[in-house]
Amino acid sequence: MPGCRATGWKAVNLPHTAGRELVPTSSGGAQTVTDWYRIDLAAVAPSAQERLLYLPRWKTLGHIAVYGDGVLLYQSHGSPVHNGYNHPLLLPLNAAAHTLSPASVLIRVDRLRSSGSGFSTVWVGDQASLSWRYQGRRLLQVQLPFMGSAAFLAVGLFAFAVWLGKRRESLYLLFFAISATASLRMFHYYAGGDYFPISDEWLEWTTVASLLWLIILIHLFLQRLHQQPSPWLTRSSVALALVCNAATLPHASTSIASLYLLTPLLNLAVLPIAVLIFAVNLRKALRAQLPEGRLVAGWAALTVAFTSYDGLLQNNLVSPESVYTSPYAIIGLFFIFSYIMFQRYTGAFAEVGRLNKGLAERLRAREAELEQSYQRLRVIENEQMLSAERRRLMQDMHDGLGSSLISAIRSVEQGALNDAEVSGVLKGCMEDLKLAIDSMESVDADLLLLLATLRFRLAPRIESAGLALRWEVQPLPALPWLDPSSALHILRIMQECVANVLRHTRATVICFSTATEGQGVCVVIEDNGSGFIVEEALRRSGRGLRNQQRRASAIGGTVSWKSSSAGTRFTLWLPLQPGLGGEVAHSPR
């Protein structure tokens, strides 16, 4: 609304700006001047109801104060630089409750002469008519930049956490650095007029320096995307940033005011450098047919336009009622770069999924090949096992049953055997055959089960010979090495021992017993026959005793005899585990 004309006053149209010097002079740069704006409310009847003043934007390198009929209603806080200039102002004009609204309002604006100032349209009204305007302005100028910066930084921290787990993925680290630098750059847009934990000099320097490094980090990010480095451009931009940072350090500047006065010029000077960097990277991105290149190209065009407009606004060349647009360019940067990182992140998962799928398919194919190989090996193993079992049985039958039959045939042909003797030979052959068949049954490492089978086969023969059978077998540990071949050896050893008792000892009692001894088990057969001299029998190379020793040695066991006129004690010792036969010294009882 226009200012009122009176003595010493002149009417101005709002919004109003005081021009600034693009290149500040040394003489006027530090001089402070005060502008007064008077708003005459005489035409509006004073009211006890709450009346508000709404100021969308004001801009000055100094402070602002509002008076109602000479009473101070508001004064900006903080330093002359960081004074909350981008925050809209909604101020109650009634000094206290139930007091009348003022008839005139004075607004004092302090500023450095070279900096100029800006003053937007002033609105006076009630809560209903001004609150929505204030909230909308606050959303555009403060809240959206703050939320965009916070979201950018939050996603950047997530990218940093991803980078910590995957150090080779430098894109995530660059994204975090861009988000942190963009947050520093946007801080002055939504920072209020309160005092900060760092000095104004360093805060202003950080704001200026962050713009340069933000452009360099974006350049490195794009360069990492299209994989076409520009070393000369990287070195030049980094060198320029270092020089500018060193030149604008607080100790290098005469005052914070002088740095602030130079800030608009620095922002305008950075613009052509940014255009060059973006143009080079976009050309390479398009040449590499990078899909993200088109997005970045559109964003770069908007950023140049937004930054140019903000440069005009900062130098008071456009209406001060306008809104800074650079925060929205950075918010657009956040969405575009987040999309790029999301694509890369999900692409990495998709690639892992494809690799896993390929590995799963190869694994299934390999499993199918292994299954076929396993089936072939099983067939070959079964054939080899059957062949070995067949050879074993044939060898055993040749040595035992075959030999007995051949001897019986020759004796019959020569007339040396009567019918009863032939019958006995044939019964012995039948027992040999039955024992060979019994050895093929699964005994599950149970020696007692094997001995029970032996008892079932030999008991009728023992009883028919007039011997009493005593069975004193005790439980024994399992023998994991006991297989059909070993079982047949044990059965033959026991059979040979029983045969010797029946043929040579004239015993009346035969006793079977078992015991655990050392690292093995013992099977003992005792009789009350006439006995024999063991050393002499072994020296005569008796085939039966030698066969028993050979068979016992084949399964890692030992056999021993202890004989006298009161009877004979035969002991078969078997190891609990394979390979223990040579480690255990056995002495018969």
Side-chain angles (χ1 to χ4, degrees):
M1 60 185 300
C4 297
R5 184 184 299 277
T7 304
W9 295 89
K10 65 177 181 179
V12 295
N13 293 323
L14 298 181
H16 178 261
T17 58
R20 64 170 296 156
E21 299 177 4
L22 291 179
V23 181
T25 60
S26 58
S27 59
Q31 295 179 2
T32 302
V33 297
T34 300
D35 295 327
W36 289 88
Y37 295 86
R38 189 179 74 173
I39 303 170
D40 190 359
L41 300 177
V44 181
S47 172
Q49 294 182 351
E50 185 179 38
R51 186 167 288 171
L52 304 175
L53 180 143
Y54 166 52
L55 185 63
R57 276 194 83 252
W58 53 275
K59 176 182 175 295
T60 182
L61 190 59
H63 287 97
I64 184 175
V66 180
Y67 301 85
D69 289 340
V71 178
L72 179 64
L73 302 177
Y74 170 80
Q75 184 173 2
S76 61
H77 303 287
S79 70
V81 177
H82 303 107
N83 49 22
Y85 65 92
N86 204 38
H87 288 246
L89 179 63
L90 185 64
L91 176 67
L93 293 178
N94 306 69
H98 307 296
T99 60
L100 296 178
S101 59
S104 67
V105 174
L106 289 178
I107 301 177
R108 189 191 77 230
V109 179
D110 300 328
R111 64 180 175 88
L112 293 179
R113 182 181 301 278
S114 298
S115 68
S117 65
F119 198 78
S120 68
T121 305
V122 178
W123 301 75
V124 177
D126 56 16
Q127 179 80 21
S129 61
L130 297 181
S131 178
W132 65 271
R133 297 176 184 272
Y134 169 76
Q135 295 296 341
R137 257 308 165 146
R138 191 163 179 268
L139 177 66
L140 290 176
Q141 293 178 188
V142 180
Q143 292 177 329
L144 282 180
F146 172 74
M147 290 187 292
S149 176
F152 201 171
L153 185 60
V155 177
L157 290 172
F158 172 76
F160 181 72
V162 174
W163 176 78
L164 288 177
K166 302 176 66 176
R167 296 296 180 91
R168 291 181 297 178
E169 296 292 339
S170 58
L171 271 180
Y172 295 103
L173 180 61
L174 285 172
F175 184 83
F176 164 71
I178 290 172
S179 69
T181 309
S183 298
L184 291 176
R185 175 61 185 170
M186 293 178 66
F187 182 73
H188 67 286
Y189 288 114
Y190 51 81
D194 300 326
Y195 293 96
F196 301 108
I198 62 174
S199 65
D200 293 327
E201 291 85 354
W202 283 105
L203 183 62
E204 184 64 18
W205 179 83
T206 302
T207 302
V208 174
S210 59
L211 177 61
L212 296 171
W213 290 107
L214 179 62
I215 295 172
I216 293 174
L217 288 170
I218 294 173
H219 159 65
L220 295 176
F221 187 91
L222 294 175
Q223 187 172 261
R224 177 67 177 78
L225 278 180
H226 57 62
Q227 297 292 328
Q228 299 181 50
S230 301
W232 65 272
L233 185 59
T234 303
R235 288 194 293 266
S236 301
S237 57
V238 170
L240 179 62
L242 292 175
V243 170
C244 291
N245 292 162
T248 55
L249 279 170
H251 67 79
S253 303
T254 57
S255 68
I256 182 62
S258 63
L259 177 59
Y260 183 80
L261 291 172
L262 289 173
T263 297
L265 293 179
L266 291 175
N267 291 338
L268 291 176
V270 167
L271 188 59
I273 300 173
V275 171
L276 173 62
I277 289 176
F278 292 153
V280 170
N281 282 283
L282 291 174
R283 181 174 59 85
K284 292 187 175 184
L286 294 174
R287 180 189 300 171
Q289 297 182 349
L290 190 67
E292 293 90 345
R294 291 188 292 271
L295 285 175
V296 179
W299 168 81
L302 288 175
T303 300
V304 171
F306 288 169
T307 305
S308 301
Y309 180 81
D310 285 356
L312 298 175
L313 178 60
Q314 197 171 25
N315 286 282
N316 298 331
L317 298 177
V318 296
S319 171
E321 200 157 358
S322 302
V323 176
Y324 283 112
T325 54
S326 293
Y328 294 96
I330 293 181
I331 292 174
L333 171 70
F334 160 60
F335 283 110
I336 290 173
F337 277 35
S338 295
Y339 171 75
I340 293 173
M341 296 305 298
F342 176 76
Q343 290 291 99
R344 294 300 172 109
Y345 192 71
T346 55
F349 274 107
E351 182 63 23
V352 170
R354 287 192 294 270
L355 291 176
N356 288 339
K357 184 178 179 181
L359 288 174
E361 291 176 353
R362 289 196 293 271
L363 181 60
R364 284 195 294 270
R366 184 60 178 165
E367 286 177 346
E369 293 177 2
L370 290 175
E371 180 63 24
Q372 293 176 358
S373 300
Y374 176 74
Q375 294 298 335
R376 287 195 295 268
L377 288 175
R378 285 293 301 273
V379 172
I380 294 173
E381 182 183 3
N382 289 336
E383 291 177 351
Q384 291 177 344
M385 183 175 63
L386 291 174
S387 178
E389 190 69 11
R390 188 180 297 112
R391 287 195 301 271
R392 181 183 67 83
L393 291 175
M394 290 177 64
Q395 181 66 38
D396 190 83
M397 292 176 69
H398 176 270
D399 295 343
L401 179 61
S403 177
S404 299
L405 288 174
I406 290 173
S407 298
I409 291 171
R410 288 178 178 174
S411 298
V412 170
E413 289 177 346
Q414 296 173 2
L417 296 177
N418 55 35
D419 293 343
E421 292 173 337
V422 171
S423 175
V425 171
L426 293 177
K427 288 180 181 179
C429 293
M430 183 60 69
E431 289 176 357
D432 288 344
L433 180 59
K434 288 179 179 180
L435 287 177
I437 295 174
D438 289 340
S439 68
M440 299 175 65
E441 297 292 336
S442 175
V443 294
D444 296 326
D446 189 351
L447 180 60
L448 293 183
L449 181 59
L450 185 65
L451 294 178
T453 302
L454 179 67
R455 178 184 179 182
F456 175 75
R457 295 299 182 191
L458 296 182
R461 183 179 177 186
I462 294 173
E463 293 174 357
S464 64
L467 275 72
L469 174 62
R470 288 166 46 193
W471 193 261
E472 299 176 0
V473 173
Q474 303 296 324
L476 295 173
L479 303 179
W481 50 267
L482 190 58
D483 58 11
S485 178
S486 302
L488 185 57
H489 281 302
I490 295 173
L491 291 175
R492 291 297 190 203
I493 293 172
M494 297 291 103
Q495 181 191 27
E496 182 68 25
C497 182
V498 172
N500 288 337
V501 173
L502 295 179
R503 284 197 296 264
H504 305 297
T505 65
R506 294 188 298 277
T508 59
V509 177
I510 184 169
C511 177
F512 286 76
S513 62
T514 57
T516 301
E517 182 174 322
Q519 295 295 317
V521 296
C522 293
V523 181
V524 180
I525 301 177
E526 297 178 278
D527 66 80
N528 60 351
S530 57
F532 64 99
I533 301 174
V534 178
E535 292 76 6
E536 183 179 346
L538 290 174
R539 189 169 52 253
R540 289 201 306 266
S541 300
R543 189 179 67 175
L545 301 185
R546 295 297 184 187
N547 282 342
Q548 286 178 295
Q549 289 180 325
R550 177 180 59 81
R551 289 183 181 275
S553 177
I555 55 177
T558 59
V559 292
S560 61
W561 296 266
K562 186 176 182 181
S563 184
S564 67
S565 58
T568 303
R569 178 188 180 89
F570 167 80
T571 302
L572 169 64
W573 181 89
L574 300 171
L576 292 176
Q577 299 293 334
L580 295 180
E583 301 176 7
V584 178
H586 169 70
S587 60
R589 291 178 293 177

